[in-house]
Amino acid sequence: MLCWACTWRLPHRSLGLSRTSFSTVSVALSSSSSGQGGAESRPVRLSYKLLDGDAVRPALVLLHGLFGSKTNLNSVAKTLAQQTGRRDLSPGSPPATCRPSRPLAVYTQNLDASVVTVHPTPQVLTVDARNHGDSFYSPDMSYEAMSQDLQDFLPQLGLVPCVLIGHSMGGKTAMLLALQRAELVERLIVEDISPVDSKFGLEYLTYIAAMRAVDIPDKVPHSHARKLADEQLSHVVQDIAVRQFLLTNLVEADGRFVWRPNLDALAQHMEKLVAFPPRQESYPGPTLFLFGENSHFIHSSHHPEIRRLFPQAQVQTIPNAGHWIHASHLQDFVAAIRDFLV
């Protein structure tokens, strides 16, 4: 099956970024949406990748965090696609028959050894948020705008209601979408963030200032450019894991190295990004909060607000994990999601 993908050519000035043109190419199982780009508070075009699966079951939709992109979630998406095939446990429901056109599925052998059956996996979508990855730029970087992007985008793909899985900034976007449009979200999974204000905005602004200050000569090999950027970032960002994460955003365009995120928009809206929009309504659906034991983003004082807004919430802590549970403890992360979806 062929879907559509959009790629953008990125002429840039210094390490700032601007979108000037894009082209569409036909490729398997990935795409970019059409939407209204450029205008403040309007949906923008989002770049995404869709792993094929059973369209009857709710799709798994993965939303990355600040400075992230859909490519950071490739391993998570593939592992979820492979491991979240689950039986229909309703009385009298027969197993699905094997369909070769669905390669990502969970196969089982009947006891009589005469029939091989398959429990189809769901579709798995990863998507770049506005001002991140290959999605369009916008001066508006509010959670309301990111939620509206998805409210317009997911129905276009026929992926609602879906299982919404969000990390950090993506988790806040997922929570807001569930609160605003509960009918679009079959279940909600939030990774290491809560619906309260965070205290990490100043640290993020420091990262942005360090990224802006990086100076790389033109037309150097990518490996050398990455090494230079790492050395310059290290004066401000001491954590090597954080630097390696930030460096995933360093890309080459027309012989120059640039940062993919819209750093201006992120800096201008940081106060909003570390907060959470006040809400009165609650989301009645099944909800799972996954917290890292060693994370500084979550505190027990957040639990009352979680319970108020998400009364069906389960809270699970992953031992020895930090903020990026899906990266450091992938199998524990996937196992928790798989158990929640059964």
Short mmCIF file of all heavy atoms in Angstrom, two decimals, residues 193-218:
data_model
loop_
_atom_site.label_atom_id
_atom_site.label_comp_id
_atom_site.label_asym_id
_atom_site.label_seq_id
_atom_site.Cartn_x
_atom_site.Cartn_y
_atom_site.Cartn_z
N ILE A 193 4.88 13.18 32.46
CA ILE A 193 4.48 14.59 32.55
C ILE A 193 3.11 14.60 33.21
O ILE A 193 2.42 13.59 33.23
CB ILE A 193 4.45 15.27 31.16
CG1 ILE A 193 4.62 16.79 31.29
CG2 ILE A 193 3.18 14.91 30.40
CD1 ILE A 193 6.00 17.22 31.74
N SER A 194 2.74 15.73 33.77
CA SER A 194 1.45 15.84 34.44
C SER A 194 0.76 17.14 34.01
O SER A 194 1.39 18.01 33.42
CB SER A 194 1.64 15.83 35.96
OG SER A 194 2.40 16.95 36.37
N PRO A 195 -0.53 17.27 34.30
CA PRO A 195 -1.27 18.46 33.86
C PRO A 195 -1.09 19.65 34.82
O PRO A 195 -2.06 20.32 35.18
CB PRO A 195 -2.72 17.97 33.84
CG PRO A 195 -2.76 16.94 34.93
CD PRO A 195 -1.42 16.26 34.90
N VAL A 196 0.14 19.88 35.21
CA VAL A 196 0.46 21.02 36.07
C VAL A 196 1.66 21.75 35.49
O VAL A 196 2.36 21.23 34.63
CB VAL A 196 0.76 20.58 37.52
CG1 VAL A 196 -0.44 19.88 38.14
CG2 VAL A 196 1.98 19.68 37.58
N ASP A 197 1.92 22.95 36.00
CA ASP A 197 3.05 23.73 35.51
C ASP A 197 4.37 23.07 35.90
O ASP A 197 4.50 22.50 36.98
CB ASP A 197 2.99 25.15 36.08
CG ASP A 197 1.80 25.93 35.57
OD1 ASP A 197 1.03 25.37 34.75
OD2 ASP A 197 1.61 27.08 36.00
N SER A 198 5.35 23.18 35.00
CA SER A 198 6.68 22.65 35.24
C SER A 198 7.63 23.78 35.63
O SER A 198 7.32 24.96 35.43
CB SER A 198 7.22 21.94 34.00
OG SER A 198 8.57 21.60 34.14
N LYS A 199 8.79 23.44 36.20
CA LYS A 199 9.77 24.44 36.62
C LYS A 199 11.01 24.42 35.73
O LYS A 199 12.05 24.97 36.10
CB LYS A 199 10.17 24.20 38.07
CG LYS A 199 9.01 24.29 39.06
CD LYS A 199 9.48 24.00 40.48
CE LYS A 199 8.32 24.09 41.47
NZ LYS A 199 8.76 23.79 42.86
N PHE A 200 10.90 23.79 34.56
CA PHE A 200 12.09 23.58 33.76
C PHE A 200 12.22 24.54 32.58
O PHE A 200 13.04 24.34 31.70
CB PHE A 200 12.12 22.14 33.24
CG PHE A 200 12.38 21.13 34.34
CD1 PHE A 200 11.33 20.58 35.05
CD2 PHE A 200 13.67 20.77 34.66
CE1 PHE A 200 11.56 19.66 36.06
CE2 PHE A 200 13.92 19.86 35.68
CZ PHE A 200 12.86 19.30 36.37
N GLY A 201 11.41 25.59 32.53
CA GLY A 201 11.44 26.50 31.39
C GLY A 201 12.76 27.21 31.22
O GLY A 201 13.27 27.37 30.11
N LEU A 202 13.36 27.67 32.34
CA LEU A 202 14.63 28.38 32.25
C LEU A 202 15.71 27.50 31.66
O LEU A 202 16.54 27.94 30.86
CB LEU A 202 15.03 28.90 33.63
CG LEU A 202 16.35 29.69 33.70
CD1 LEU A 202 16.26 30.93 32.81
CD2 LEU A 202 16.65 30.09 35.15
N GLU A 203 15.72 26.21 32.05
CA GLU A 203 16.71 25.27 31.52
C GLU A 203 16.55 25.11 30.01
O GLU A 203 17.54 25.08 29.28
CB GLU A 203 16.55 23.92 32.22
CG GLU A 203 17.56 22.88 31.80
CD GLU A 203 17.41 21.58 32.57
OE1 GLU A 203 16.47 21.50 33.40
OE2 GLU A 203 18.20 20.66 32.33
N TYR A 204 15.32 25.03 29.53
CA TYR A 204 15.08 24.90 28.09
C TYR A 204 15.54 26.14 27.34
O TYR A 204 16.08 26.04 26.23
CB TYR A 204 13.61 24.65 27.82
CG TYR A 204 13.10 23.32 28.32
CD1 TYR A 204 11.82 23.20 28.84
CD2 TYR A 204 13.88 22.17 28.26
CE1 TYR A 204 11.33 21.98 29.29
CE2 TYR A 204 13.42 20.96 28.70
CZ TYR A 204 12.14 20.87 29.22
OH TYR A 204 11.68 19.66 29.67
N LEU A 205 15.30 27.31 27.93
CA LEU A 205 15.76 28.54 27.28
C LEU A 205 17.28 28.58 27.19
O LEU A 205 17.84 29.09 26.22
CB LEU A 205 15.24 29.76 28.04
CG LEU A 205 13.74 30.02 27.93
CD1 LEU A 205 13.32 31.15 28.87
CD2 LEU A 205 13.35 30.35 26.49
N THR A 206 17.95 28.00 28.17
CA THR A 206 19.40 27.89 28.13
C THR A 206 19.84 27.00 26.98
O THR A 206 20.82 27.29 26.27
CB THR A 206 19.94 27.35 29.46
OG1 THR A 206 19.53 28.21 30.53
CG2 THR A 206 21.45 27.26 29.45
N TYR A 207 19.11 25.89 26.77
CA TYR A 207 19.41 25.00 25.64
C TYR A 207 19.28 25.76 24.32
O TYR A 207 20.14 25.65 23.43
CB TYR A 207 18.46 23.81 25.62
CG TYR A 207 18.59 22.85 26.76
CD1 TYR A 207 17.62 21.86 26.97
CD2 TYR A 207 19.65 22.89 27.66
CE1 TYR A 207 17.72 20.96 28.02
CE2 TYR A 207 19.75 22.01 28.71
CZ TYR A 207 18.78 21.04 28.89
OH TYR A 207 18.87 20.15 29.92
N ILE A 208 18.19 26.52 24.18
CA ILE A 208 17.96 27.24 22.93
C ILE A 208 19.06 28.26 22.68
O ILE A 208 19.56 28.40 21.56
CB ILE A 208 16.58 27.92 22.97
CG1 ILE A 208 15.47 26.86 22.92
CG2 ILE A 208 16.42 28.91 21.81
CD1 ILE A 208 14.07 27.40 23.08
N ALA A 209 19.46 28.98 23.73
CA ALA A 209 20.54 29.96 23.57
C ALA A 209 21.83 29.27 23.14
O ALA A 209 22.57 29.79 22.28
CB ALA A 209 20.74 30.71 24.89
N ALA A 210 22.12 28.11 23.71
CA ALA A 210 23.33 27.38 23.34
C ALA A 210 23.25 26.89 21.90
O ALA A 210 24.26 26.93 21.16
CB ALA A 210 23.53 26.20 24.29
N MET A 211 22.08 26.43 21.47
CA MET A 211 21.92 25.97 20.09
C MET A 211 22.09 27.13 19.11
O MET A 211 22.72 26.99 18.06
CB MET A 211 20.55 25.31 19.92
CG MET A 211 20.40 24.01 20.72
SD MET A 211 18.68 23.43 20.86
CE MET A 211 18.41 22.78 19.20
N ARG A 212 21.53 28.28 19.44
CA ARG A 212 21.67 29.44 18.57
C ARG A 212 23.12 29.89 18.44
O ARG A 212 23.53 30.45 17.41
CB ARG A 212 20.83 30.60 19.13
CG ARG A 212 19.33 30.48 18.88
CD ARG A 212 18.61 31.55 19.64
NE ARG A 212 17.23 31.72 19.21
CZ ARG A 212 16.32 32.41 19.89
NH1 ARG A 212 16.65 32.99 21.03
NH2 ARG A 212 15.09 32.53 19.43
N ALA A 213 23.90 29.67 19.49
CA ALA A 213 25.28 30.15 19.50
C ALA A 213 26.23 29.24 18.74
O ALA A 213 27.38 29.62 18.49
CB ALA A 213 25.75 30.32 20.94
N VAL A 214 25.78 28.05 18.37
CA VAL A 214 26.65 27.11 17.67
C VAL A 214 27.05 27.69 16.31
O VAL A 214 26.22 28.19 15.56
CB VAL A 214 25.94 25.75 17.48
CG1 VAL A 214 26.70 24.86 16.50
CG2 VAL A 214 25.80 25.05 18.82
N ASP A 215 28.33 27.61 16.01
CA ASP A 215 28.87 28.15 14.76
C ASP A 215 29.62 27.04 14.05
O ASP A 215 30.64 26.54 14.55
CB ASP A 215 29.79 29.32 15.06
CG ASP A 215 30.31 30.00 13.79
OD1 ASP A 215 29.70 29.79 12.72
OD2 ASP A 215 31.33 30.72 13.87
N ILE A 216 29.14 26.65 12.87
CA ILE A 216 29.74 25.57 12.10
C ILE A 216 30.09 26.09 10.70
O ILE A 216 29.23 26.68 10.03
CB ILE A 216 28.78 24.37 11.98
CG1 ILE A 216 28.43 23.84 13.37
CG2 ILE A 216 29.39 23.26 11.13
CD1 ILE A 216 27.38 22.74 13.34
N PRO A 217 31.32 25.86 10.24
CA PRO A 217 31.68 26.30 8.89
C PRO A 217 30.83 25.59 7.84
O PRO A 217 30.33 24.48 8.06
CB PRO A 217 33.15 25.90 8.76
CG PRO A 217 33.63 25.72 10.16
CD PRO A 217 32.45 25.25 10.95
N ASP A 218 30.66 26.22 6.69
CA ASP A 218 29.91 25.62 5.60
C ASP A 218 30.68 24.45 5.00
O ASP A 218 31.92 24.40 5.04
CB ASP A 218 29.63 26.65 4.50
CG ASP A 218 28.69 27.74 4.97
OD1 ASP A 218 28.08 27.58 6.05
OD2 ASP A 218 28.58 28.77 4.27
#
